[in-house]
Amino acid sequence: MSRVFFLFLSFFLSLNLSAQKNKIDVVFFFENLPQLNNSNIEEWIKSPELIDECKACIGFLEMRKSDFVKNLGDKLACFKSGRNKLEQEILKEPDNVSFRFLRFIIQEHAPKIVNYHADMNNDLTKIKLNYKMMKPYIQQAIIDYSKQSRNLKL
């Protein structure tokens, strides 16, 4: 995945998420998405609140975690596990645009070898059409991400 994406997700490291004892739920996840990095991703994946509320978020986190895995086989297995979770949730809730946003982020930065780009234009269209109807914390996450995205311009 691109270094620009890593920089985007590491932008707010000074807040030191691991020192905060916040409940990691869906709102926290989207509000703090830019702070996701190698040192806190495992904490987020194991969050009971996030596991209960948003399996799509866990799938996204697993795919992001694959960027930090050194062994190629483990990297691919981690990515595929996350992809399966995210895709299952999108199949259950095809109109959930926040899930589409998470998939769009991954697709935009996924290496060609994983062949995970087929839904990018469809997801982008859904995000743009439904942006104003989304919850404010998701809107803000989209605004923040769009500043560094190659394809998502609001």
Side-chain angles (χ1 to χ4, degrees), residues 41-42 45 60-69 78:
I41 197 165
E42 199 62 43
I45 288 173
F60 170 86
L61 290 169
E62 286 181 3
M63 287 190 284
R64 282 294 302 128
K65 180 182 174 184
S66 72
D67 197 35
F68 306 113
V69 175
C78 189

Side-chain angles (χ1 to χ4, degrees), residues 89-100:
E89 294 304 305
I90 290 173
L91 284 174
K92 287 180 194 173
E93 296 183 51
D95 295 326
N96 187 321
V97 182
S98 60
F99 295 173
R100 300 293 188 119

Side-chain angles (χ1 to χ4, degrees), residues 23 40-42 54 59 67 96 104 107 115 119 125 130 152 154:
K23 180 172 80 168
N40 63 20
I41 197 165
E42 199 62 43
C54 185
D67 197 35
N96 187 321
F104 176 80
Q107 290 180 119
N115 196 25
D119 297 304
T125 301
N130 295 287
L152 178 58
L154 299 177

Side-chain angles (χ1 to χ4, degrees), residues 55-151:
K55 289 179 179 54
C57 296
I58 298 299
F60 170 86
L61 290 169
E62 286 181 3
M63 287 190 284
R64 282 294 302 128
K65 180 182 174 184
S66 72
D67 197 35
F68 306 113
V69 175
K70 301 293 182 207
N71 178 285
L72 188 58
D74 294 341
K75 182 184 285 275
L76 190 57
C78 189
F79 185 88
K80 284 182 177 181
S81 172
R83 179 183 65 199
N84 290 339
K85 287 177 181 146
L86 180 57
E87 291 298 328
Q88 286 174 1
E89 294 304 305
I90 290 173
L91 284 174
K92 287 180 194 173
E93 296 183 51
D95 295 326
N96 187 321
V97 182
S98 60
F99 295 173
R100 300 293 188 119
F101 172 58
L102 294 176
R103 181 169 69 181
F104 176 80
I105 292 172
I106 296 295
Q107 290 180 119
E108 192 170 49
H109 298 281
K112 291 186 192 279
I113 195 167
V114 297
N115 196 25
Y116 195 63
H117 302 93
D119 297 304
M120 200 161 86
N121 289 331
N122 186 28
D123 291 345
L124 180 61
T125 301
K126 283 191 178 280
I127 292 165
K128 287 182 175 181
L129 288 175
N130 295 287
Y131 169 77
K132 292 188 187 235
M133 295 176 277
M134 299 178 83
K135 294 178 180 173
Y137 61 89
I138 298 174
Q139 286 180 351
Q140 188 59 53
I142 292 170
I143 289 169
D144 293 343
Y145 181 73
S146 71
K147 292 174 184 174
Q148 64 92 35
S149 172
R150 292 183 307 258
N151 300 297

